[in-house]
Amino acid sequence: MPELPEVETIKRQVAPQLEAMTVEESASHPSAKFSQACELVGANLGTMRRRGKFLILPTDDERELVLHLGMTGKVRITTQLTEDKYCRAWWKLRNPKDQNEIFLEFSDVRRFGRIKVVDRGRYETLPTLHSMGPEPFDATLTADSFWKNLKRSNRKIKTQLLSQKPIAGVGNIYADEALWIAKINPKVTQIGQKRAGHLLDALKKVLQKGIDNGGTTLKDYRDADGNKGTNQRQLMVYGRSGEPCLLCGTELTSAQIDARTTTWCKNCQKR
DNA sequence: CCCAACTCCTGGGCGC
DNA sequence: TGCGCCCAGGAGTTGG
């Protein structure tokens, strides 16, 4: 499940190869989730950026290609179209300087991913992106602003983190890891200012470590070069239900919180 | 506006 | 070996 570190890793790999390329040809899966891909033909590409778990590729005609990898989405750049029954869209790109030709491919087994082409900055059709909270490493995100944003909702803290509103880019893995580090029970609905600060520190720490390790590969995730990340070796709680807490030895608990498997230590993360 | 419930998808793991 | 069942879960949609 690509979260911020996985999407950031992919962005860093492909952004330099796409810049200034011209879209010559495109094809996509017929589903409305992917079919807008073809609207990009004729455009010249700018610099890809990441916002939360979304990849955004601006064009010189004031539009943007918006990609979301969902659960099993993969992005790669090739010199020849890959034979792949799960390829949901591809774009043939030409470099106007040296006439070199490459393909940008979007593959997604489970089709939870999405491809949109929008006018620049117009994200009304992408509600999560439209109301996305601050980037974790943005200077405007402080312990105080984070705490004030969390206070506005009375939903469980785990649910709030996954909503993308208090902070962008956090998914199930990094949410559980950060809550464990900050010693916060995932079911609490309100936390104090000081604990909010600890949680923000923990989130930044686990996300930065995830980026440094090239992402977490549990099963499906691969970077744009087809390689696995190594952050799965660093996980403290995710996927370790029933195993001992690495801090106190207590058997880790797991339960569904708003239909998401959540793992935590009942001793270290008391209500 | 907020929120809860439901939906989308398919490979892989499991029990029998 | 193979069948049926269930699981993984981010974000869009819908209705209250």
Side-chain angles (χ1 to χ4, degrees), chain A residues 52-73:
Chain A
K53 304 171 201 170
F54 290 83
L55 290 168
I56 302 175
L57 183 51
T59 64
D60 64 347
D61 56 3
E62 307 286 309
R63 295 182 300 158
E64 287 172 335
L65 172 68
V66 181
L67 304 177
H68 195 290
L69 302 177
M71 299 293 297
T72 55

Side-chain angles (χ1 to χ4, degrees), chain A residues 175-229:
Chain A
D176 280 11
E177 294 297 307
L179 287 167
W180 181 81
I181 289 174
K183 297 184 160 55
I184 293 170
N185 186 288
K187 292 184 178 178
V188 299
T189 56
Q190 291 296 331
I191 56 173
Q193 186 170 20
K194 194 175 169 186
R195 308 192 77 204
H198 291 153
L199 178 55
L200 180 57
D201 289 345
L203 285 162
K204 288 172 152 178
K205 188 175 155 184
V206 296
L207 292 170
Q208 186 59 57
K209 195 162 90 171
I211 294 169
D212 294 343
N213 290 324
T216 300
T217 300
L218 296 169
K219 195 162 79 75
D220 296 301
Y221 171 71
R222 297 292 185 279
D223 68 18
D225 297 328
N227 295 317
K228 296 179 181 183

Side-chain angles (χ1 to χ4, degrees), chain A residues 124-156:
Chain A
E124 293 86 346
T125 60
L126 295 149
T128 303
L129 179 58
H130 189 59
S131 55
M132 181 80 65
E135 285 293 317
F137 302 106
D138 191 304
T140 64
L141 177 60
T142 64
D144 193 51
S145 71
F146 186 54
W147 175 60
K148 283 177 175 151
N149 268 325
L150 286 173
K151 264 206 304 187
R152 290 156 58 154
S153 166
N154 209 36
R155 306 175 85 182
K156 297 180 184 80

Side-chain angles (χ1 to χ4, degrees), chain A residues 6 12 22-24 50 63 69 95 105 111 123 125 127 130 138 152 180 184 219 225 233 239 245 253 262-263 265 269:
Chain A
E6 292 74 34
R12 290 180 184 183
T22 302
V23 182
E24 274 198 354
R50 180 194 56 73
R63 295 182 300 158
L69 302 177
N95 186 332
E105 301 181 18
R111 292 196 259 155
Y123 305 134
T125 60
H130 189 59
D138 191 304
R152 290 156 58 154
W180 181 81
I184 293 170
K219 195 162 79 75
D225 297 328
R233 300 171 199 161
C245 171
T253 305
T262 302
T263 305
C265 173
Q269 296 166 269

Side-chain angles (χ1 to χ4, degrees), chain A residues 102-141:
Chain A
I102 59 172
F103 294 88
L104 172 63
E105 301 181 18
F106 184 100
S107 177
D108 182 12
V109 172
R110 285 169 59 189
R111 292 196 259 155
F112 267 40
R114 251 156 233 279
I115 298 173
K116 287 253 179 191
V117 176
V118 301
D119 288 335
R120 190 170 67 187
R122 301 299 298 264
Y123 305 134
E124 293 86 346
T125 60
L126 295 149
T128 303
L129 179 58
H130 189 59
S131 55
M132 181 80 65
E135 285 293 317
F137 302 106
D138 191 304
T140 64
L141 177 60

Side-chain angles (χ1 to χ4, degrees), chain A residues 15-16 18-21 43-49 56-60:
Chain A
L18 300 176
E19 187 144 17
M21 300 295 273
N44 298 304
L45 304 179
T47 309
M48 180 183 267
R49 66 178 192 279
I56 302 175
L57 183 51
T59 64
D60 64 347

